[in-house]
Amino acid sequence: MQSTHLREHNLSAVLRALQTAPSPASRAGLATLTQLTKPTVSKLVEELIGAGLVTEGEPIAAGAGRPMVPLRPAAGTLLAIGLEIAADHISCLGIDLTGAELARRTTYHRVAEGTAEDALALAAQLVHEVREEAPELPVVGVTAAIPGRLCPEDGRILSAPGLDWADVPVISRLQELLAPADWPVGAQNDNRLSVLTEIDRRPGESFLYVRGSTGVGGAVVLDGAVLEGAHGWAGEFGHTVVAPDGRQCRCGRRGCLEAYISYLSLVRQAGLSDEVRIEDLVEELARSSSRAEVIGVIGRSLGLAIANALNVLDLSTVVLSGYLAPIAEEITPVVQETVDRHALAAEAGPVAIERADALADPALHGAARAARQPVFDAPGSWIEKER
Amino acid sequence: MQSTHLREHNLSAVLRALQTAPSPASRAGLATLTQLTKPTVSKLVEELIGAGLVTEGEPIAAGAGRPMVPLRPAAGTLLAIGLEIAADHISCLGIDLTGAELARRTTYHRVAEGTAEDALALAAQLVHEVREEAPELPVVGVTAAIPGRLCPEDGRILSAPGLDWADVPVISRLQELLAPADWPVGAQNDNRLSVLTEIDRRPGESFLYVRGSTGVGGAVVLDGAVLEGAHGWAGEFGHTVVAPDGRQCRCGRRGCLEAYISYLSLVRQAGLSDEVRIEDLVEELARSSSRAEVIGVIGRSLGLAIANALNVLDLSTVVLSGYLAPIAEEITPVVQETVDRHALAAEAGPVAIERADALADPALHGAARAARQPVFDAPGSWIEKER
């Protein structure tokens, strides 16, 4: 048992090192990166090559010594599938071990207007379509990004107000809809999946991640890891109170940040149609009142909620994502002014308010990456299963 | 180098195991607890006994086998000194390796009415008096608990509003005042030291610690460790905004929790003399207005700030300390009602609002324990130094 465990640990260390190395590494380079001996690394690499998880590039001359053979994760040898079920669309993305996109499908569908079953059937259909684009590849699994809170025990959706869902067993229902395939199926909150791209961009860093969408959510990242919390709900930033006894939030509470700055609340406040696309939100709001006023409302509410979170967490970086990213430059002065006024951390130097990577569909990408993760965590089990 | 490091690591593992074991352990028991071999443990134990850090008890008959010799940290063989500089008193406590109190001094002194130099000279005087009660023991160090924020680089006090201190180099000044003794001197925020007792009571748990005092502070504990944050200020709970554009706080901001429920603000709101002792606060407040009203104000402000913190952290336990502990039973219904109304975590089950251990002077005890900690972290270095 011990040696199986050790082998798995070492295979994972080698594969992760190849994933995160800024350029392809040689066997000797991997030995340095993983602190394993060269013979051990060579043996592990042969196994990973044999299983199609690693490929060798063209040898590169290396001075007087033997040429260096660059190694990298293998492209196109497996399929990991991400799903995103959002208020107005369902998307599906297939990636390989390198993160390259193999197939993608999107259906525009107002989830709240139909049943959860409708949406899940559509989602399963998209998964089949993506799978058919690469029918020869083994599937690692399917992970669904859901804008709601999951039950920490069984992963069913407790509530997803933007979808008008309560108590939906997404995982088991998707498993049934995808049968006879018995791929591992998972589900996770969309914000917790979105943040994965930012964690890659900022390895080892600590930051508060705030994502504006149909709701407002986020994640707390400490030293490169997402803070879980007691129920996997840490960073549920949208229900911070910014106005005691304030506006009614669709979660049933009063004065939540989300009641002021979510897509849905902004649209309703401005009397706009909810046909307005989220990308066009601020533009459309500016037509109905003054743009500066809209920016002011968003910036002040957000700034107060951020300051309160920073006073508890003592972080010095905030990353704005979702619909907040494209307007980050405009809202930052207002957010910054409010944060500087209320956050203790500001006394030690300015809190950095930054915009997230412009990557479209971060939740969808995060879901595909989460589906792929077991191969990096336990390559030995994956190899065993596919043998 | 490697083997010195390993020896230190193992000595520390053995000493910590003896500290945390619920009852005295034998050498065989230590081997199980530390996952070291029995011969290694025996060698390490001999070294710790030789250095006066561990003592053997009377052998206990153990069935048919050899009698078991119980081991425990040695009492009375070293002195660790804690200081607390509070708004109205300065205290000094000397403990040994077992945590037993060897000496204690308290001077009532209104720190804000004198200079920082006055207070530090008094503190140094108390340290000398405590030291004279055990002049034969080697001193591990002195740690001061200060109700303020420390500079993360050099440990000077950036601001301690309750003491009316700004930019006070406590560590270097205490070192000068204690010369020619060259004991290691440290300083830490009083709330971060107070929480140490609770961490011992709740090993490995996660909780939000809230301490009401002249100010309001706290700490975030994740899996048994205090969250540091970027500047060591995580858990500075008192400056969470509970009323946007609300009451002026002595920190210069508006609407902070501290402006509503700290000792100082409650005394001022009620027009009481600040001669009222903090233990008598709620009693005195009740005389000037109705007790239920006072409890209501404290409970609602506190509940809102706690709910906001929980929404970011997703913790399910809150521990009330300081002047909040003795009134915990009374305020809990109001706090609980507000927390349940605003914290998402409440959807998963009730958030536990608990009172801290009734230990008097938790900051002072925490300071002494922090001064003692190097012996547990690096017993080998301590033995080397004292040889």
Side-chain angles (χ1 to χ4, degrees):
Chain A
M1 276 305 286
Q2 188 61 27
S3 82
T4 310
H5 180 75
L6 191 65
R7 171 175 159 264
E8 189 67 288
H9 178 269
N10 290 344
L11 281 169
S12 174
V14 167
L15 198 54
R16 282 165 191 263
L18 287 176
Q19 182 191 22
T20 53
S23 60
S26 66
R27 287 168 175 77
L30 276 175
T32 309
L33 287 170
T34 58
Q35 300 195 292
L36 296 168
T37 65
K38 284 190 207 173
T40 302
V41 166
S42 290
K43 205 168 139 249
L44 296 166
V45 165
E46 292 324 307
E47 193 170 347
L48 292 169
I49 291 174
L53 296 178
V54 167
T55 48
E56 293 183 306
E58 286 298 310
I60 298 163
R66 277 201 288 175
M68 171 252 193
V69 180
L71 301 168
R72 43 170 81 81
T77 60
L78 56 78
L79 180 66
I81 301 176
L83 265 174
E84 181 178 14
I85 303 184
D88 65 351
H89 69 277
I90 300 172
S91 295
C92 184
L93 171 70
I95 63 171
D96 68 10
L97 195 64
T98 70
E101 189 167 323
L102 300 183
R104 181 195 284 251
R105 290 286 183 284
T106 293
T107 293
Y108 289 91
H109 171 73
R110 300 198 157 264
V111 175
E113 291 170 12
T115 65
E117 182 62 24
D118 295 343
L120 292 172
L122 269 171
Q125 178 55 34
L126 297 189
V127 171
H128 283 304
E129 287 178 33
V130 161
R131 200 282 180 278
E132 272 158 34
E133 297 253 328
E136 75 291 359
L137 299 183
V139 174
V140 187
V142 179
T143 296
I146 313 280
R149 238 149 342 103
L150 282 75
C151 171
E153 274 87 41
D154 60 15
R156 77 179 188 285
I157 306 305
L158 296 177
S159 79
L163 308 181
D164 204 13
W165 281 12
D167 202 17
V168 177
V170 167
I171 294 175
S172 57
R173 196 62 199 112
L174 273 177
Q175 276 168 333
E176 288 162 6
L177 290 163
L178 293 172
D182 66 339
W183 307 317
V185 174
Q188 184 51 284
N189 171 271
D190 58 344
N191 299 309
R192 300 178 93 74
L193 292 168
S194 294
V195 77
L196 297 177
T197 311
E198 286 303 309
I199 290 176
D200 275 2
R201 282 179 72 204
R202 308 161 184 273
E205 287 182 29
S206 299
F207 57 93
L208 178 67
Y209 179 78
V210 182
R211 182 159 169 259
S213 176
T214 41
V216 176
V220 175
V221 179
L222 300 176
D223 302 328
V226 178
L227 178 67
E228 282 301 314
H231 314 92
W233 304 344
E236 275 283 5
F237 195 69
H239 303 283
T240 301
V241 179
V242 294
D245 303 315
R247 191 180 289 159
Q248 180 80 43
C249 180
R250 65 194 168 135
C251 73
R253 298 177 183 82
R254 283 197 166 275
C256 301
L257 175 65
E258 187 162 304
Y260 293 82
I261 74 155
S262 72
Y263 162 85
L264 284 178
S265 68
L266 288 170
V267 159
R268 275 170 208 166
Q269 280 168 62
L272 293 173
S273 148
D274 60 1
E275 302 281 323
V276 169
R277 295 192 316 164
I278 198 160
E279 317 69 294
D280 303 330
L281 175 64
V282 176
E283 214 53 62
E284 287 293 327
L285 288 173
R287 285 190 206 177
S288 57
S289 58
S290 100
R291 189 172 174 97
E293 204 174 299
V294 174
I295 295 294
V297 167
I298 299 174
R300 279 190 302 274
S301 313
L302 193 57
L304 192 59
I306 289 173
N308 277 348
L310 295 185
N311 282 343
V312 173
L313 295 164
D314 186 22
L315 299 171
S316 48
T317 305
V318 178
V319 177
L320 302 180
S321 165
Y323 89 78
L324 297 169
I327 59 168
E329 234 171 87
E330 262 181 293
I331 59 174
T332 293
V334 190
V335 174
Q336 188 92 54
E337 196 266 325
T338 312
V339 167
D340 286 351
R341 189 140 41 90
H342 288 292
L344 292 176
E347 288 181 16
V351 171
I353 316 266
E354 300 176 358
R355 62 175 281 174
D357 186 22
L359 179 75
D361 305 316
L364 182 61
H365 276 272
R369 294 160 50 111
R372 184 188 60 172
Q373 195 57 31
V375 181
F376 284 104
D377 290 345
S381 305
W382 168 252
I383 294 168
E384 210 58 49
K385 206 176 119 194
E386 293 308 308
R387 189 159 281 160
Chain B
M1 277 307 286
Q2 188 64 24
S3 82
T4 310
H5 179 76
L6 190 65
R7 171 175 159 267
E8 189 69 288
H9 177 270
N10 290 345
L11 281 170
S12 174
V14 167
L15 199 53
R16 283 165 191 263
L18 287 177
Q19 182 191 22
T20 54
S23 59
S26 66
R27 288 168 174 80
L30 276 175
T32 309
L33 287 170
T34 58
Q35 299 195 293
L36 296 168
T37 65
K38 284 189 206 175
T40 303
V41 166
S42 290
K43 206 169 139 246
L44 295 166
V45 165
E46 293 324 305
E47 194 170 348
L48 292 168
I49 291 175
L53 296 178
V54 166
T55 48
E56 291 183 309
E58 285 300 308
I60 299 165
R66 278 200 288 176
M68 172 251 192
V69 180
L71 302 168
R72 43 170 81 81
T77 60
L78 56 78
L79 180 66
I81 300 175
L83 266 175
E84 181 178 12
I85 302 182
D88 64 352
H89 68 276
I90 301 173
S91 295
C92 184
L93 172 69
I95 62 170
D96 68 10
L97 194 64
T98 69
E101 191 167 322
L102 301 183
R104 179 195 284 249
R105 290 288 184 282
T106 293
T107 293
Y108 290 90
H109 171 73
R110 302 202 155 262
V111 175
E113 289 170 13
T115 65
E117 182 61 24
D118 294 342
L120 292 172
L122 270 171
Q125 178 55 35
L126 297 188
V127 171
H128 284 303
E129 288 177 31
V130 161
R131 202 279 182 276
E132 271 158 36
E133 298 254 328
E136 73 292 358
L137 298 183
V139 173
V140 187
V142 179
T143 296
I146 312 280
R149 240 152 338 105
L150 280 75
C151 170
E153 275 86 41
D154 61 15
R156 77 178 188 285
I157 306 305
L158 295 177
S159 78
L163 307 182
D164 204 14
W165 281 11
D167 202 17
V168 177
V170 166
I171 295 175
S172 56
R173 196 62 198 112
L174 274 178
Q175 275 166 334
E176 288 162 6
L177 289 163
L178 293 172
D182 66 341
W183 306 319
V185 175
Q188 184 50 283
N189 171 273
D190 58 345
N191 299 309
R192 301 178 93 73
L193 291 169
S194 294
V195 78
L196 298 178
T197 310
E198 286 304 310
I199 290 177
D200 273 4
R201 283 179 71 204
R202 308 161 184 273
E205 287 184 30
S206 300
F207 58 93
L208 178 67
Y209 179 79
V210 182
R211 183 160 169 259
S213 176
T214 42
V216 176
V220 175
V221 178
L222 301 176
D223 302 328
V226 178
L227 177 68
E228 282 301 314
H231 314 92
W233 304 344
E236 274 285 4
F237 196 69
H239 302 283
T240 300
V241 179
V242 293
D245 303 316
R247 190 180 290 159
Q248 182 79 41
C249 181
R250 66 196 166 134
C251 73
R253 299 177 183 82
R254 280 195 167 277
C256 301
L257 175 65
E258 186 162 304
Y260 293 83
I261 74 156
S262 71
Y263 163 85
L264 284 177
S265 68
L266 287 171
V267 158
R268 275 170 208 165
Q269 281 167 61
L272 293 174
S273 147
D274 61 3
E275 302 281 324
V276 169
R277 293 192 318 164
I278 198 160
E279 314 71 293
D280 304 330
L281 176 64
V282 176
E283 215 51 63
E284 287 292 328
L285 288 173
R287 284 191 209 178
S288 58
S289 58
S290 100
R291 189 173 174 96
E293 204 176 298
V294 174
I295 294 293
V297 167
I298 298 175
R300 278 190 303 275
S301 314
L302 192 58
L304 192 61
I306 289 173
N308 278 348
L310 294 185
N311 282 343
V312 174
L313 295 163
D314 186 23
L315 298 171
S316 47
T317 305
V318 178
V319 177
L320 302 179
S321 165
Y323 89 79
L324 297 169
I327 58 167
E329 233 171 87
E330 263 183 294
I331 59 173
T332 293
V334 190
V335 173
Q336 188 91 53
E337 194 267 324
T338 313
V339 167
D340 286 351
R341 188 142 40 90
H342 288 292
L344 292 177
E347 290 182 15
V351 171
I353 317 269
E354 300 175 359
R355 63 175 281 176
D357 186 21
L359 179 75
D361 306 316
L364 180 62
H365 275 272
R369 294 159 51 107
R372 184 190 59 172
Q373 195 56 33
V375 180
F376 284 105
D377 291 344
S381 305
W382 168 253
I383 294 169
E384 210 58 52
K385 207 176 120 196
E386 293 309 307
R387 189 159 281 163

XYZ file of all heavy atoms in Angstrom, chain A residues 80-84 91-95 103 105 126-127 130 141-145 363-372:
201
model
N -11.719 16.242 -20.909
C -12.344 16.658 -19.648
C -13.437 17.660 -19.998
O -13.209 18.570 -20.799
C -11.320 17.283 -18.716
N -14.619 17.481 -19.428
C -15.786 18.255 -19.871
C -16.307 19.183 -18.781
O -16.596 18.748 -17.662
C -16.912 17.292 -20.327
C -16.396 16.406 -21.481
C -18.149 18.073 -20.764
C -17.394 15.345 -21.946
N -16.378 20.479 -19.121
C -16.968 21.456 -18.216
C -18.327 21.896 -18.715
O -18.539 22.003 -19.922
N -19.225 22.135 -17.769
C -20.560 22.645 -18.096
C -20.753 23.942 -17.334
O -20.273 24.078 -16.206
C -21.627 21.679 -17.585
C -22.212 20.615 -18.480
C -23.136 19.731 -17.654
C -22.964 21.234 -19.649
N -21.465 24.893 -17.924
C -21.880 26.052 -17.148
C -23.378 26.238 -17.343
O -23.854 26.342 -18.478
C -21.140 27.321 -17.586
C -21.572 28.517 -16.738
C -20.838 29.818 -17.087
O -20.189 29.864 -18.142
O -20.947 30.774 -16.302
N -23.559 26.220 -21.386
C -22.398 26.006 -22.244
C -21.685 24.742 -21.836
O -21.737 24.327 -20.674
C -21.422 27.178 -22.139
O -21.992 28.351 -22.636
N -20.998 24.173 -22.801
C -20.231 22.962 -22.534
C -18.899 23.078 -23.245
O -18.826 23.534 -24.395
C -21.013 21.752 -23.040
S -20.194 20.189 -22.649
N -17.822 22.711 -22.563
C -16.472 22.849 -23.115
C -15.689 21.569 -22.851
O -15.686 21.065 -21.731
C -15.770 24.030 -22.426
C -14.287 24.234 -22.696
C -14.060 24.698 -24.130
C -13.706 25.249 -21.709
N -15.031 21.068 -23.903
C -14.148 19.924 -23.719
C -12.702 20.353 -23.885
O -12.365 21.052 -24.846
N -11.869 19.994 -22.914
C -10.437 20.315 -23.019
C -9.617 19.030 -22.866
O -10.127 18.004 -22.396
C -9.976 21.336 -21.938
C -10.149 20.756 -20.520
C -10.717 22.651 -22.090
C -9.533 21.607 -19.422
N -13.646 21.092 -28.031
C -15.002 21.293 -28.563
C -15.758 22.202 -27.612
O -15.459 22.251 -26.406
C -15.725 19.949 -28.666
N -19.919 24.020 -27.067
C -21.311 24.241 -27.483
C -21.965 25.227 -26.514
O -21.702 25.160 -25.305
C -22.129 22.939 -27.418
C -21.792 21.901 -28.436
C -22.307 22.299 -29.816
N -22.036 21.251 -30.784
C -20.838 20.997 -31.321
N -19.795 21.715 -30.971
N -20.710 20.029 -32.196
N -25.719 18.779 -24.645
C -24.481 19.474 -25.029
C -23.259 18.616 -24.712
O -22.291 18.594 -25.479
C -24.367 20.820 -24.310
C -25.433 21.876 -24.618
C -25.035 23.210 -23.978
C -25.634 22.062 -26.116
N -23.301 17.928 -23.595
C -22.175 17.052 -23.234
C -22.008 15.983 -24.313
O -20.881 15.714 -24.778
C -22.390 16.402 -21.846
C -21.334 15.321 -21.581
C -22.357 17.451 -20.746
N -20.423 17.521 -27.417
C -18.985 17.775 -27.240
C -18.222 16.449 -27.294
O -17.176 16.336 -27.933
C -18.733 18.511 -25.906
C -17.274 18.379 -25.452
C -19.107 19.989 -26.061
N -14.108 13.152 -16.891
C -15.286 13.435 -16.080
C -15.956 14.704 -16.552
O -15.502 15.352 -17.500
N -17.071 15.013 -15.891
C -17.877 16.190 -16.229
C -18.074 16.990 -14.944
O -18.465 16.427 -13.924
C -19.261 15.764 -16.767
C -20.120 16.980 -17.095
C -19.128 14.845 -17.976
N -17.781 18.296 -14.985
C -18.062 19.143 -13.827
C -18.963 20.295 -14.261
O -18.699 20.934 -15.277
C -16.762 19.695 -13.211
O -15.988 18.601 -12.714
C -17.055 20.643 -12.055
N -20.004 20.539 -13.487
C -20.953 21.604 -13.808
C -20.762 22.801 -12.884
O -20.670 22.640 -11.664
C -22.380 21.078 -13.682
N -20.683 24.001 -13.469
C -20.620 25.247 -12.706
C -22.040 25.774 -12.545
O -22.741 25.975 -13.535
C -19.763 26.270 -13.446
N -15.956 30.625 -15.599
C -16.596 29.527 -14.844
C -16.580 28.250 -15.681
O -16.325 27.151 -15.165
C -18.028 29.895 -14.466
N -16.831 28.392 -16.983
C -16.834 27.225 -17.869
C -15.432 26.608 -17.959
O -15.264 25.391 -17.853
C -17.327 27.657 -19.260
C -17.432 26.557 -20.316
C -18.427 25.477 -19.888
C -17.847 27.162 -21.673
N -14.438 27.467 -18.136
C -13.059 26.968 -18.160
C -12.694 26.307 -16.836
O -12.074 25.246 -16.810
C -12.084 28.112 -18.452
C -11.942 28.383 -19.907
N -11.019 27.734 -20.694
C -12.629 29.207 -20.727
C -11.139 28.158 -21.942
N -12.111 29.062 -22.003
N -13.084 26.950 -15.739
C -12.797 26.390 -14.417
C -13.448 25.028 -14.240
O -12.854 24.113 -13.661
N -14.671 24.888 -14.762
C -15.383 23.609 -14.632
C -14.633 22.516 -15.395
O -14.455 21.398 -14.884
C -16.811 23.752 -15.161
N -14.166 22.818 -16.620
C -13.428 21.820 -17.391
C -12.118 21.449 -16.685
O -11.716 20.287 -16.650
C -13.166 22.343 -18.802
N -11.468 22.453 -16.113
C -10.223 22.190 -15.394
C -10.476 21.343 -14.149
O -9.673 20.478 -13.807
C -9.552 23.495 -15.001
C -9.090 24.289 -16.207
C -8.905 25.717 -15.816
N -8.097 25.734 -14.610
C -6.859 26.176 -14.559
N -6.294 26.661 -15.641
N -6.187 26.153 -13.446
N -11.576 21.616 -13.470
C -11.912 20.810 -12.286
C -12.183 19.367 -12.696
O -11.786 18.430 -11.995
C -13.121 21.406 -11.567
N -12.827 19.186 -13.858
C -13.101 17.826 -14.343
C -11.797 17.094 -14.679
O -11.690 15.879 -14.522
C -13.999 17.883 -15.581
N -10.813 17.853 -15.125
C -9.518 17.275 -15.525
C -8.618 16.989 -14.320
O -7.695 16.173 -14.377
C -8.832 18.298 -16.453
C -7.534 17.868 -17.049
C -6.889 19.052 -17.765
N -6.642 20.155 -16.829
C -5.957 21.263 -17.132
N -5.476 21.428 -18.351
N -5.765 22.196 -16.232
